[in-house]
């Protein structure tokens, strides 16, 4: 009877403790649970025309981040690769939202001094997407593709960028101790209930026998008395043992509860630790992962948008025969050729127009992973007016310039465009021969030599015939001029324009080399008084049709050559080629 009060008190204490622990666990999941989101606000700082929002803020706690911007008038929020955003900002003064305070109530903003203004970032090809707003903008920040993405906020590049910025982040609502506390509370309640129900077993038997197995009534009277005394002693010891057993039973139950509790806590602590370990990386870790080499310079959606604008500008220029309409999206060789084409066609109606540039049927793209400038990309398209697919070369000369069309050339009949890795392929320097039969420079020089000389040493090193008719047609044209021009001496040269060479690695380890050749056609009368005549097209540029002193015609040739890998025994192959008259003059 002495152990019952102790057992009762212990049981009540365990139940009460279990209820409190269970309530604490439930509370962490309900009325003590943290908010699902937290909002941090940028304090008004020094004004600047541009504001950059660092890419690491997009993944501070995982989940979706929303941004609210308030400003006066119109402004823009654009998304781009971190290195592209930094390159566009350049030396312009700007603010950078770099992180969040420990209490997640304030955005950390860093000011960088620099130039007071910048061009408007609107319409830049660097942005994968952009949002225009007036007065206020709610923006959900999601990644358009794998990798890191930063944001650029600006008005027009001259006015200060909006400074009222708040960002709402998902909050950590895991409460790792909630479940362990609820489990522990339940165990304590069960332990208290068990302590009330369970009764301790007796520590010894009620009766006893002689140690030698004899009967208590046998033997002399002296021995019976002795055994009777032993029986009283054994009963006393049994009673004491029962009390001790009761205490030890309580003690053992307490030990079991303690052991079980320790095991539960250890397991839930490990789970909590695992949860913490699998959480998103800290902001300091995330900030150390800029856009790396191997990232394509444009995504498919960007490429299509750029190509549509290029095609639109080119179509407008062709329709109006106005080179000024080309300026925003056409440059280099293509601008020169089309400008002269418009000039000739305004005087000679029968002169052929350049092949139109179409974006409706995009057959393939070639995008570099070379993130330095200038950047070059290719497109193979075919649409209305394209008898065969056309290879387009676009170049972005600097971060704040847009891509411009610098060359067009139809694919050679029967030619298969070489397979090139989608999503970012390697660009090589013009003189880099690594893994190739010829460097880009050597390939174009070999083509130029073959187009100039009928007995060129590169005759066997370039595929000719039906699959590459341009070479045969050019040699035939030159031979006919010599044959028919009995009153003149003629010379033909094809020379590489080194700065135009672009090289892309193909899937088989070879390369596709693109560039421009300058094709000069030089004629001089054989004797004094002899006259040389030129066509109506050249006459528009030369200012006349006949000369007794000599003449020079200049063509721009846009070409693309496939170079096999170093271990191949196959010849090079002319993939695409065309020429356009860009100059004519008399000596």
């Amino acid at each position: 009877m002495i152990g019952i009060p102790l057992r009762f008190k212990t049981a009540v204490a365990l139940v009460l403790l279990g209820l409190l622990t269970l309530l604490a666990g439930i509370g962490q999941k309900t009325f003590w649970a943290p908010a699902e989101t937290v909002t941090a606000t940028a304090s008004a700082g020094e004004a600047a025309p541009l504001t950059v929002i660092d890419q690491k803020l997009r993944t501070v706690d995982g989940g979706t981040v929303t941004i609210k911007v308030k400003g006066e008038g119109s402004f823009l929020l654009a998304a781009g690769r971190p290195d592209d955003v930094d390159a566009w900002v350049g030396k312009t003064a700007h603010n950078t939202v770099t992180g969040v305070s420990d209490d997640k109530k304030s955005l950390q903003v860093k000011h960088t001094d620099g130039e007071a203004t910048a061009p408007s970032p609107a319409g830049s090809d660097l942005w994968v997407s952009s949002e225009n707003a007036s007065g206020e903008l709610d923006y959900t920040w999601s990644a358009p593709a794998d990798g890191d993405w930063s944001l650029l906020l600006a008005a027009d590049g001259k006015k200060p960028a909006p400074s009222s910025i708040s960002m709402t982040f998902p909050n950590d609502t895991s409460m790792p101790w909630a479940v362990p506390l609820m489990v522990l509370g339940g165990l304590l309640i069960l332990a208290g209930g068990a302590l009330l129900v369970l009764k301790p077993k007796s520590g010894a038997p009620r009766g006893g026998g002689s140690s030698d197995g004899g009967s208590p009534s046998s033997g002399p009277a002296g021995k019976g008395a002795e055994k009777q005394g032993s029986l009283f002693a054994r009963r006393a010891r049994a009673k004491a043992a029962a009390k001790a057993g009761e205490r030890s039973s309580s003690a053992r139950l307490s030990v079991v509860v303690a052991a079980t509790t320790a095991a539960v806590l250890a397991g839930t602590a490990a789970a909590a630790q695992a949860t913490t370990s699998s959480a998103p990386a800290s902001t300091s870790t995330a900030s150390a992962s800029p856009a790396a080499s191997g990232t394509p310079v444009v995504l498919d959606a960007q490429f299509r948008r750029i190509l549509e604008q290029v095609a639109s500008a080119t179509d407008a220029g062709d329709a109006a025969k106005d080179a000024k309409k080309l300026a925003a999206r056409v440059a280099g060789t293509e601008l020169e050729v089309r400008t002269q084409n418009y000039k000739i066609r305004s005087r000679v109606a029968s002169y052929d127009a350049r092949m139109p540039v179409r974006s409706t049927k995009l057959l393939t793209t070639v995008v570099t992973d070379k993130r330095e400038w200038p950047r070059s990309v290719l497109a193979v398209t075919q649409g209305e007016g394209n008898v065969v697919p056309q290879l387009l070369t676009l170049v972005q000369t600097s971060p704040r310039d847009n891509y411009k069309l610098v060359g067009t050339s139809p694919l050679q009949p029967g030619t298969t465009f070489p397979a090139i890795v989608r999503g970012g392929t390697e660009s090589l320097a013009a003189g880099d021969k690594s893994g190739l039969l010829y460097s880009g420079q050597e390939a174009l020089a070999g083509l130029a030599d073959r187009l100039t000389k009928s007995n060129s040493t590169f005759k066997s090193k370039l595929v000719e015939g039906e699959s590459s008719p341009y070479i045969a047609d050019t040699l035939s044209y030159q031979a006919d001029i010599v044959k028919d021009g009995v009153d003149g001496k003629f010379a033909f040269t094809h020379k590489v324009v080194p700065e135009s060479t672009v090289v892309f690695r193909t899937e088989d380890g070879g390369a596709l080399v693109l560039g421009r050749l300058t094709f000069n056609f030089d004629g001089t009368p054989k004797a004094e008084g002899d006259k040389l005549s030129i066509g109506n097209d050249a006459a528009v540029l030369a200012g006349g049709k006949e000369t007794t002193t000599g003449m020079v015609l200049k063509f721009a040739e846009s070409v693309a050559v496939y170079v096999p890998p170093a271990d191949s025994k196959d010849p090079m192959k002319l993939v695409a080629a065309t020429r356009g008259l860009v100059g004519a003059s008399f000596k």
Side-chain angles (χ1 to χ4, degrees), residues 344-551:
I344 294 170
R345 287 171 56 214
S346 66
R347 300 273 298 275
V348 182
S350 60
Y351 191 68
D352 290 337
R354 291 286 284 182
M355 186 179 287
V357 174
R358 304 300 187 202
S359 62
T360 51
K361 189 176 181 182
L362 179 60
L363 302 179
T364 191
T365 61
V366 178
V367 177
T368 180
D369 60 9
K370 172 181 172 288
R371 303 198 63 80
E372 297 79 20
W373 282 268
R375 294 174 174 178
S376 299
V377 296
L378 308 178
V380 179
T381 65
Q382 187 173 20
E384 183 182 355
N386 300 146
V387 178
V388 294
Q390 184 171 209
L391 177 60
L392 311 177
T393 304
L394 296 88
V395 174
Q396 184 183 40
T397 57
S398 72
R400 289 182 176 177
D401 288 309
N402 280 341
Y403 281 92
K404 293 186 178 182
L405 180 68
V406 299
T408 66
S409 52
L411 297 187
Q412 291 285 276
T415 295
T416 300
F417 192 76
I420 297 179
V421 175
R422 294 295 303 273
T425 189
E426 180 186 8
S427 291
L428 303 177
D432 189 348
K433 193 178 177 178
S434 57
L436 302 173
L437 276 178
Y438 305 96
S439 68
Q441 289 176 342
E442 292 171 336
L444 293 184
L447 174 62
D449 188 74
R450 177 64 185 126
L451 291 171
T452 300
K453 306 172 186 176
S454 59
N455 61 346
S456 168
T457 56
F458 276 84
K459 182 176 182 178
S460 62
K461 299 173 183 177
L462 276 159
V463 173
E464 298 183 21
E466 292 183 1
S467 61
S468 292
Y470 184 82
I471 296 174
D473 289 349
T474 301
L475 291 171
S476 176
Y477 166 75
Q478 293 170 174
D480 289 345
I481 293 293
V482 173
K483 180 180 177 180
D484 297 339
V486 295
D487 294 331
K489 298 177 182 179
F490 302 98
F492 307 94
T493 60
H494 299 257
K495 294 184 178 180
V496 179
V497 179
E499 60 271 19
S500 69
T501 306
V502 179
V503 185
F504 295 97
R505 184 77 72 178
T506 56
E507 281 190 3
D508 62 359
L512 181 66
V513 183
L514 300 99
R516 169 178 172 167
L517 306 181
T518 297
F519 171 23
N520 282 343
F521 169 8
D522 189 292
T524 303
K526 285 185 178 179
E528 188 176 349
D530 287 346
K531 291 183 180 180
L532 299 180
S533 297
I534 58 176
N536 291 334
D537 52 354
V540 174
L541 303 181
K545 288 200 62 175
E546 295 183 336
T547 176
T548 58
T549 57
M551 56 80 180

Side-chain angles (χ1 to χ4, degrees), residues 205-385:
R206 289 287 177 181
S210 64
S211 59
D212 57 1
S215 171
S217 59
S218 63
K223 289 184 178 179
E226 181 182 343
K227 288 182 179 180
Q228 186 68 28
S230 297
L231 179 61
F232 289 141
R234 283 198 300 272
R235 287 178 177 175
R237 287 196 297 270
K239 190 173 184 179
K243 293 179 180 179
E246 184 178 338
R247 289 194 210 77
S248 64
S249 177
S250 297
R252 282 195 300 273
L253 183 57
S254 299
V255 169
V256 170
V257 171
T260 304
T261 301
V264 170
L265 288 177
T268 52
Q273 179 65 31
T275 302
T276 304
S277 300
S278 62
S282 65
T283 55
S284 60
T285 301
S287 64
S289 55
S293 177
T295 303
V297 294
V298 293
L299 300 183
D300 285 345
Q302 279 177 281
F303 203 124
R304 290 182 179 277
R305 184 184 73 227
I306 293 166
L307 189 58
E308 287 173 1
Q309 293 178 8
V310 167
S312 178
T314 307
D315 191 53
D318 289 350
K321 299 176 187 176
D322 184 358
K324 292 180 182 178
K325 294 183 180 295
L326 302 176
R329 284 294 185 177
V330 184
T333 299
E334 197 59 30
L335 179 60
E336 184 180 4
V337 170
R338 273 187 148 76
T339 298
Q340 298 299 65
N341 183 275
Y342 297 162
K343 186 174 182 180
I344 294 170
R345 287 171 56 214
S346 66
R347 300 273 298 275
V348 182
S350 60
Y351 191 68
D352 290 337
R354 291 286 284 182
M355 186 179 287
V357 174
R358 304 300 187 202
S359 62
T360 51
K361 189 176 181 182
L362 179 60
L363 302 179
T364 191
T365 61
V366 178
V367 177
T368 180
D369 60 9
K370 172 181 172 288
R371 303 198 63 80
E372 297 79 20
W373 282 268
R375 294 174 174 178
S376 299
V377 296
L378 308 178
V380 179
T381 65
Q382 187 173 20
E384 183 182 355

